[in-house]
């Protein structure tokens, strides 16, 4: 199975946004500071999330991003798909040319596993993850750390992490 940093970071950032959604538009700098994801990488991810209608952007002072609909209506599979990720366990990427341009012996097994993973993620919403044990405690710890940092330090947080571009 291959779920890259792109998909993991998109889910993490969307979960952060869902947790803080009641605070109005959330800046990417705040998400960057809490999650340790570079601001430039988040900008690329959120361009895709906005294009797919999962988030809404607000410009200007106090601007940022909000969820486009309630967290209980946003499935994890939708987030992963929005950033062009696939959860595929086949060796061929689903093209059925796994072995010398033909189906391999275990193709159907891995294809079925991919479908199970997709169905699992399609049936879990951001709200479901927010309700999981420990998520709120982690969010509170991250908020506490952020509140102790000077505001200038927040905007550069995570600058060295995930600085590659989203393909």
């Amino acid at each position: 199975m291959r779920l890259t940093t792109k998909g993991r970071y998109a889910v993490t950032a969307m979960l952060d946004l869902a947790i803080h959604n009641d605070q109005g538009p959330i800046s990417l700098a705040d998400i960057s500071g809490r999650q340790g994801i570079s601001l430039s990488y988040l900008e690329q991810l959120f361009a895709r999330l906005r294009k797919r209608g999962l988030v809404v952007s607000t410009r200007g002072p106090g601007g940022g991003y909000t969820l486009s609909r309630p967290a209980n209506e946003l499935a994890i599979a939708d987030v992963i798909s929005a950033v062009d990720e696939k959860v595929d366990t086949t060796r061929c990427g689903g093209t059925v040319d796994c072995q010398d341009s033909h189906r391999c012996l275990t193709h159907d097994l891995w294809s079925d596993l991919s479908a199970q993973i997709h169905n699992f993620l399609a049936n879990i919403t951001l709200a479901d993850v927010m309700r999981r044990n420990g998520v709120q405690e982690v969010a509170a710890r991250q908020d506490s750390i952020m509140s102790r940092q000077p505001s200038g330090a927040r905007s550069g947080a995570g600058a060295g992490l995930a600085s590659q571009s989203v393909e």
Side-chain angles (χ1 to χ4, degrees):
M1 182 185 93
R2 181 181 150 106
L3 180 60
T4 67
T5 302
K6 181 172 40 171
R8 291 178 194 276
Y9 281 179
V11 171
T12 299
M14 287 290 286
L15 183 57
D16 184 286
L17 188 61
I19 289 167
H20 297 93
N21 206 48
D22 63 340
Q23 300 171 12
I26 304 299
S27 75
L28 294 183
D30 284 347
I31 296 172
S32 173
R34 284 189 292 265
Q35 302 308 323
I37 305 170
S38 80
L39 189 56
S40 62
Y41 199 70
L42 283 172
E43 288 168 348
Q44 295 171 56
L45 290 175
F46 272 74
R48 290 175 184 225
L49 294 166
R50 187 181 70 242
K51 187 176 182 181
R52 293 291 287 271
L54 299 184
V55 296
V56 176
S57 64
T58 303
R59 295 185 181 269
Y65 288 88
T66 54
L67 299 176
S68 64
R69 49 191 191 267
N72 65 349
E73 295 178 16
L74 290 166
I76 301 301
D78 294 337
V79 175
I80 292 170
S81 165
V83 295
D84 300 324
E85 277 288 280
K86 294 179 185 163
V87 179
D88 184 3
T89 58
T90 63
R91 184 170 67 183
C92 63
T95 60
V96 195
D97 60 357
C98 334
Q99 185 177 30
D100 300 323
S101 301
H102 295 86
R103 176 188 311 261
C104 71
L105 189 61
T106 55
H107 178 83
D108 291 337
L109 172 69
W110 304 128
S111 182
D112 290 349
L113 177 59
S114 296
Q116 290 290 327
I117 292 169
H118 183 270
N119 288 338
F120 173 76
L121 296 173
N123 287 299
I124 297 176
T125 66
L126 290 171
D128 294 331
V129 178
M130 288 170 56
R131 287 190 294 270
R132 288 184 176 222
N133 291 337
V135 170
Q136 293 301 325
E137 290 89 6
V138 171
R141 185 193 74 227
Q142 291 171 339
D143 287 341
S144 174
I145 292 168
M146 284 291 292
S147 69
R148 289 181 271 163
Q149 290 181 353
S151 60
R154 289 184 213 166
S155 61
L161 303 174
S163 60
Q164 71 272 24
S165 65
V166 175
E167 297 175 0

